[in-house]
């Protein structure tokens, strides 16, 4: 008998574990794009650590900031011309969880990947001690993303928290990390274009790719607290030759009428590849659409307005949401979490971030 993705989801929605629920969701997304589900399922289980065994009918024992409902996982689909990638952002959770124990588990996870030859650690090794205090502070210490595409093995990226030694130490930490990575001149790019509004523009993530080759990136994310599309445009000016009007159009499609993003902030990022010294190769904007809509049916309309000009249509967006949930989009906001726009002088891409809602839908 044939089983549809909906059946699998419905079964996985019965009280089970976070692992079974999120594996079913990821398998649904992978199926859309011809990505073999086996490797993605096992990597997700490993990434979650002890959280894979959490029973969904109990409160989560650790409140992850990866997603609003404490689920330590978030899915995304990256659209790049006709190419697609499915990605998972996740926090590795220890048993019992604590900031310190989760960080140890995150270190073990990457050591395990390395022992299998799945990652290259040059960039991580250059900076990891800076982001590994005895007593980690802030909302998280290390997060990972797993990037899946039909053409090759999974790729990984690690996100460090610049506030892991406390907020007051963050700018110094970022400066040191840039210098260790041979990118000391990036600090003045950040100061000039991204961190213009004193304590309202803050570096919120420092990420490095865990793969080899000249495409391994260093990524720096800046949150624009109470910021506007203009703050994003000014940040994007660090990369010459970008189509800045795309930024304004994107914000207007996702949050029409919003001038100041006073809820969750607009976030900008710069990517640096080998050979870049001060000018980023790429600028990305992340719009937290969920904070600016009454519910996901409105978010969907706006996502379509933002993505259709980039070649992503309603049928595809609807298949993506159907892979992760059966709920009505009118019920609540939060499923469509962020939408991002990637701009480089040569190309443009977009990404849709979709929440698991493993906890919000289980309650
Ligand atoms: N949940 C956090 C937030 O919304 C972190 C996060 C998850 C995030 N996915 C993201 C931040 C995508 C920016 C873009 O801030």
């Amino acid at each position: 008998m044939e089983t549809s993705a909906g059946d699998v989801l419905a079964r996985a929605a019965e009280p089970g574990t976070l692992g079974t629920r999120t594996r079913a969701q990821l398998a649904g997304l992978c199926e859309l794009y011809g990505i073999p589900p086996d490797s993605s399922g096992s990597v997700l289980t490993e990434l979650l650590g002890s959280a894979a065994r959490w029973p969904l009918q109990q409160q989560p024992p650790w409140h992850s900031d990866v997603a609003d409902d404490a689920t330590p996982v978030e899915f995304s689909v990256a659209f790049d011309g006709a190419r697609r990638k499915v990605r998972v952002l996740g926090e590795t959770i220890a048993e019992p969880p604590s900031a310190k124990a989760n960080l140890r588990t995150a270190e073990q996870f990457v050591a395990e990947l390395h022992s299998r030859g799945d990652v290259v650690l040059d960039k991580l090794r250059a900076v990891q001690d800076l982001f590994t205090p005895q007593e980690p502070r802030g909302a998280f210490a290390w997060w990972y993303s797993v990037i899946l595409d039909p053409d090759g093995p999974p790729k990984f990226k690690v996100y460090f928290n610049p506030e892991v030694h406390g907020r007051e130490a963050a700018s110094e930490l970022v400066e040191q990390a840039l210098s260790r990575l041979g990118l000391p001149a990036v600090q003045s790019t950040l100061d000039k274009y991204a961190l213009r509004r004193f304590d309202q523009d803050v570096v919120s993530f420092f990420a490095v790719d865990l793969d080899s080759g000249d495409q391994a990136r260093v990524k720096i994310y800046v949150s624009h607290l109470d910021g506007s599309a203009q703050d994003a445009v000014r940040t994007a000016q660090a990369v010459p030759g970008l189509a800045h009007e795309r930024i304004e159009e994107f914000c207007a499609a996702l949050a029409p009428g919003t001038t100041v993003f006073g809820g969750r902030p607009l976030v900008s990022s710069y990517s640096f590849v080998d050979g870049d010294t001060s000018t980023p190769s790429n600028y990305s904007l992340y719009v937290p659409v969920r904070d600016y809509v009454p519910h996901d049916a409105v978010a969907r309309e706006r996502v379509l307005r933002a993505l259709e000009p980039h070649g992503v249509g309603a049928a595809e967006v609807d298949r993506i949401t159907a892979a992760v949930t059966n709920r009505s989009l009118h019920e609540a906001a939060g499923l469509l979490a962020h939408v991002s726009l990637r701009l480089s002088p040569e190309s443009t891409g977009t990404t849709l971030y979709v929440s698991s809602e493993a906890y919000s839908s289980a309650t």
Side-chain angles (χ1 to χ4, degrees), residues 24-318:
Q25 293 173 314
L26 183 59
L29 289 171
C30 286
E31 194 183 329
L32 293 179
Y33 300 111
I35 300 167
D38 311 349
S39 66
S40 65
S42 55
V43 88
L44 176 60
T45 306
E46 261 187 287
L47 172 65
L48 285 170
S50 72
R53 298 185 298 276
W54 288 351
L56 284 178
Q57 68 281 45
Q58 286 169 22
Q59 291 294 313
W62 177 257
H63 197 105
S64 176
D65 199 43
V66 164
D68 301 349
D69 68 342
T71 303
V73 169
E74 181 187 65
F75 304 107
S76 58
V77 178
F79 311 102
D80 187 0
R83 291 171 56 97
R84 302 291 183 258
K85 287 178 186 161
V86 172
R87 305 185 312 188
V88 186
L89 172 68
E91 180 164 6
T92 307
I93 311 283
E95 171 62 51
S98 70
K100 208 167 162 170
N102 291 353
L103 175 51
R104 293 285 96 81
T105 314
E107 291 180 287
Q108 284 157 13
F109 173 67
V110 82
E112 178 63 31
L113 294 175
H114 186 243
S115 73
R116 296 201 302 249
D118 294 347
V119 288
V120 176
L121 299 184
D122 317 13
K123 288 195 163 60
L124 176 123
R125 287 211 168 114
V127 296
Q128 74 179 105
D129 62 300
L130 298 174
F131 295 101
T132 312
Q134 278 303 317
E135 301 293 337
R137 292 164 64 185
F140 75 103
W142 296 15
W143 284 345
Y144 291 99
S145 67
V146 185
I147 302 117
L148 304 158
D149 73 40
D151 307 322
K155 290 187 170 168
F156 298 86
K157 182 161 133 189
V158 61
Y159 299 76
F160 299 116
N161 184 355
E163 298 188 353
V164 77
H165 291 273
R167 191 158 295 168
E168 57 302 338
S171 21
E172 169 82 35
L173 197 59
V174 168
E175 202 166 343
Q176 280 190 46
L178 286 170
S179 145
R180 295 252 194 110
L181 290 162
L183 293 166
V186 167
Q187 188 61 48
S188 53
T189 305
L190 283 172
D191 292 340
K192 182 165 177 204
Y193 294 100
L195 305 175
R196 299 165 57 111
R197 299 178 312 138
F198 184 49
D199 55 359
Q200 288 183 300
D201 294 319
V202 296
V203 180
S204 39
F205 304 97
F206 192 105
V208 297
D209 283 347
L210 302 178
D211 44 52
S212 58
D214 56 3
Q215 289 310 306
R217 294 162 308 167
V218 174
K219 270 186 101 168
I220 299 166
Y221 297 74
V222 172
S223 295
H224 304 291
L225 309 180
D226 291 325
S228 65
Q230 282 317 307
D231 294 310
V233 167
R234 280 188 209 103
T235 303
Q237 278 161 356
V239 189
L242 295 188
H244 295 141
E245 356 30 283
R246 296 284 103 80
I247 294 176
E248 279 138 333
E249 287 162 16
F250 203 69
C251 290
L254 290 164
T258 299
T259 47
V260 173
F261 287 76
R264 282 192 181 72
L266 292 177
V267 177
S268 290
S269 78
Y270 293 141
S271 296
F272 300 91
V273 296
D274 281 358
D276 292 341
T277 50
S278 59
T279 302
S281 314
N282 142 313
Y283 167 85
S284 298
L285 170 70
Y286 308 79
V287 181
V289 62
R290 68 196 183 286
D291 259 24
Y292 300 90
V293 291
H295 52 69
D296 280 302
V298 173
R300 174 184 173 277
E301 290 306 313
R302 296 184 181 180
V303 162
L304 296 180
R305 226 172 293 144
L307 296 188
E308 271 164 351
H310 298 282
V312 181
E316 182 166 7
V317 168
D318 291 342

